[in-house]
């Protein structure tokens, strides 16, 4: 899935308490649409967790130290928006 992709990391944002950060991993192969994955980690990079891998996620913010709000495609939506 990530073969021959251009990769980027975008929108790194810390939670209010500064104990975790969220970022978007984006990749694109040729002229295909960008694919986005959502990760969080501790400030030192430890405890990396993949939270969303549906291909589309954007416009997010921390609600509190443990909750993220996103506009994203869910697995049940398939390619419909």
């Amino acid at each position: 899935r990530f073969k021959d992709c251009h990769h980027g990391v975008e929108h790194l944002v810390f939670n209010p308490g500064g104990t975790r950060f969220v970022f978007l991993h984006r990749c694109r192969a040729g002229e295909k649409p960008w694919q986005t994955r959502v990760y969080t980690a501790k400030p030192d990079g430890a405890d990396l967790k993949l939270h969303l891998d549906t291909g589309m996620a954007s416009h997010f913010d921390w609600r509190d130290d443990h909750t993220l709000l996103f506009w994203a495609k869910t697995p049940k939506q398939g390619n419909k928006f």
Side-chain angles (χ1 to χ4, degrees):
R1 173 173 160 187
F2 297 111
K3 185 178 179 184
D4 300 322
C5 282
H6 296 281
H7 296 271
V9 172
E10 296 182 356
H11 307 298
L12 189 145
V13 179
F14 279 88
N15 67 0
T19 58
R20 291 194 76 76
F21 64 90
V22 60
F23 66 92
L24 305 181
H25 165 239
R26 292 203 165 144
C27 62
R28 184 176 186 186
E31 296 300 316
K32 293 181 180 178
W34 286 98
Q35 296 293 304
T36 303
R37 300 168 95 189
V38 178
Y39 288 90
T40 63
K42 292 182 178 180
D44 65 358
D47 195 28
L48 181 67
K49 292 183 181 179
L50 174 62
H51 292 277
L52 192 61
D53 188 14
T54 60
M56 194 294 247
S58 184
H59 299 85
F60 66 90
D61 202 356
W62 288 96
R63 180 177 178 194
D64 54 41
D65 281 344
H66 306 285
T67 310
L68 283 162
L69 303 172
F70 271 93
W71 180 39
K73 180 169 51 173
T74 65
K76 292 181 182 180
Q77 287 176 307
N79 291 325
K80 296 180 181 179
F81 293 94

